[in-house]
Amino acid sequence: HLDEQDAHAMATYLKSLPQSDPRSRGVAPPLTEEVDKLLARGGDIYKTLCEDCHGNLGQGRPNAYPALADNRGVTLASPVNAIRSILYGGYAPVTINNPRPYGMPPFAQILRDEEIALVLSYIRNSWGNRGSLVTAIEVDRSRKGAQ
């Protein structure tokens, strides 16, 4: 299902990601009152835009929407992949056996950088996940294609 142009686009994207140990996780913040307030704001965004697909406990839906709870990709030290997933969405390829695949809609035109940072910080620190907070600056850099 992959033509040469798609393979080139994937290679270009992968080369654009910052290099890091794939097993490393972001350093979780101490749970202060200020951090709790930020995570609560992110939780409100999650409840409005994400919960229907990914579940109230981040459990996802098998064969449709990935679980976010206990998802290593969510808590990697670099949040770039998760940021870009929220910004640009993604869909599985259309195949004979899967003519209308479920997918993640893009939120780049719907959410501001701060809102993406809040919801991703919430996801990275909920349901047993522990990861660093995401900043609006990191989202802005991803939006512009910088590392």
Side-chain angles (χ1 to χ4, degrees):
H1 307 294
L2 193 65
D3 62 29
E4 188 173 331
Q5 184 178 3
D6 288 340
H8 185 304
M10 289 173 61
T12 300
Y13 168 72
L14 292 172
K15 286 181 179 181
S16 77
L17 298 175
Q19 291 187 351
S20 65
D21 180 346
R23 296 165 296 182
S24 69
R25 293 180 178 235
V27 177
L31 294 177
T32 64
E33 187 175 326
E34 183 180 339
V35 168
D36 285 344
K37 287 179 184 176
L38 288 173
L39 296 180
R41 288 175 56 204
D44 290 341
I45 297 167
Y46 180 87
K47 182 173 253 185
T48 301
L49 297 174
C50 313
E51 190 173 285
D52 284 348
C53 297
H54 293 286
N56 65 326
L57 300 174
Q59 73 274 17
R61 205 174 299 158
N63 301 315
Y65 307 111
L68 301 175
D70 197 32
N71 182 328
R72 187 180 66 82
V74 168
T75 58
L76 289 172
S78 171
V80 171
N81 279 346
I83 291 170
R84 289 182 180 171
S85 292
I86 293 171
L87 283 172
Y88 307 118
Y91 292 85
V94 173
T95 65
I96 291 172
N97 294 326
N98 193 12
R100 300 183 74 182
Y102 290 103
M104 169 85 173
F107 288 94
Q109 301 301 318
I110 297 168
L111 295 174
R112 296 182 325 270
D113 293 348
E114 178 189 11
E115 293 170 316
I116 292 172
L118 287 168
V119 73
L120 190 49
S121 293
Y122 170 78
I123 292 166
R124 288 168 62 92
N125 288 282
S126 296
W127 321 295
N129 292 340
R130 293 293 286 146
S132 60
L133 297 179
V134 177
T135 67
I137 291 170
E138 289 173 304
V139 177
D140 180 61
R141 286 182 184 147
S142 288
R143 198 182 282 267
K144 292 176 179 172
Q147 295 180 18

